[in-house]
Amino acid sequence: MPSQGGDGDFLRPDPGNEAEFQVDNNKFAFSPGQLAKLFNPKSHGAYKALGGLTGLEKGLRTNRETGLSLDEHTFVDSISFEEVTGGPVTRSTSAGGSESGTPYGDRIRCFGENILPEKQAKTIWKLMWIAFNDKILILLSCAAVISLTLGLYQTFGVKHKGGAAKVEWVEGVAIIVAILIVVMVGAGNDWQKERQFVKLNKKVNLEETY
């Protein structure tokens, strides 16, 4: 681990993210948490603390010219943070990996797979809530509540002459039904688009994988 003074301050774990800075049997000089300090927001101080481009190359056991070795599986040795940032810097390759085990096994174990997380589609209920959050629909909802309240009062709280039908509540209910139809149709269309987008995304990712 880096020191807590000077450039090491740029690699200090954020509260709640300490686990990202601890990797059991880490064969690399850096942890996922330290590398994450390079972005969000971008930090030139963290870049310098990690040894710059040469330090990243050595610490991640790769090569700027040839990339990762196709024969890499797991490493039999390890490299420390101090070796990368404080020791003599030499060009590093992916040599040192054993020929057995999962390809890039140590990299996947330490840093995870190099794929984007699958985007979760919004539920129909969330889409209905989004569709309802329209200024016109909100105004109509307020009008419907007022109309229905007055209609119910006139229906049950006021005497009707003769055999007059008690239908004052119908107008408020009609507005509410219209709002529900608009919300459900809009949310349904958006839900179908979301599902099509997820399917298309899966197809694109599958094609890129192969």
Side-chain angles (χ1 to χ4, degrees):
M1 291 294 293
S3 63
Q4 295 302 313
D7 289 341
D9 290 335
F10 292 104
L11 304 179
R12 188 190 302 274
D14 296 323
N17 293 337
E18 290 83 359
E20 296 180 4
F21 289 76
Q22 301 294 332
V23 179
D24 293 334
N25 193 25
N26 192 354
K27 300 299 181 64
F28 305 93
F30 311 124
S31 65
Q34 290 170 331
L35 295 178
K37 285 291 186 175
L38 292 171
F39 56 93
N40 289 338
K42 295 179 180 178
S43 172
H44 188 260
Y47 173 75
K48 288 177 59 180
L50 294 174
L53 187 59
T54 303
L56 289 169
E57 177 187 24
K58 184 178 180 182
L60 295 176
R61 310 182 75 154
T62 184
N63 189 293
R64 281 179 282 179
E65 297 177 0
T66 61
L68 300 179
S69 170
L70 296 176
D71 298 327
E72 179 188 318
H73 290 77
T74 56
F75 289 94
V76 296
D77 58 350
S78 61
I79 185 170
S80 68
F81 182 91
E82 289 72 18
E83 287 181 79
V84 173
T85 58
V89 177
T90 58
R91 179 168 296 277
S92 173
T93 66
S94 292
S98 69
E99 296 299 325
S100 61
T102 305
Y104 306 108
D106 281 325
R107 293 188 189 276
I108 294 174
R109 179 178 59 82
C110 293
F111 304 111
E113 294 185 283
N114 188 26
I115 57 175
L116 292 174
E118 183 177 335
K119 181 182 178 182
Q120 296 296 322
K122 296 183 179 71
T123 64
I124 186 68
W125 304 110
K126 187 172 184 179
L127 290 172
M128 288 178 66
W129 176 250
I130 293 173
F132 178 73
N133 283 332
D134 180 84
K135 292 180 180 179
I136 301 299
L137 292 180
I138 292 174
L139 288 174
L140 284 174
S141 299
C142 294
V145 171
I146 295 172
S147 177
L148 183 60
T149 302
L150 293 175
L152 291 173
Y153 171 75
Q154 291 175 347
T155 298
F156 301 104
V158 178
K159 293 183 178 181
H160 293 70
K161 295 180 180 179
K166 300 180 179 181
V167 293
E168 290 84 1
W169 54 271
V170 171
E171 182 178 347
V173 172
I175 298 175
I176 293 175
V177 170
I179 293 171
L180 289 175
I181 291 174
V182 171
V183 169
M184 293 177 67
V185 170
N189 290 335
D190 290 340
W191 186 63
Q192 288 183 342
K193 292 177 183 177
E194 284 271 334
R195 294 189 65 185
Q196 291 174 353
F197 179 76
V198 170
K199 289 180 180 179
L200 180 61
N201 237 9
K202 287 182 179 179
K203 184 177 180 181
V204 170
N205 289 337
L206 187 63
E207 290 177 351
E208 289 179 349
T209 301
Y210 292 99

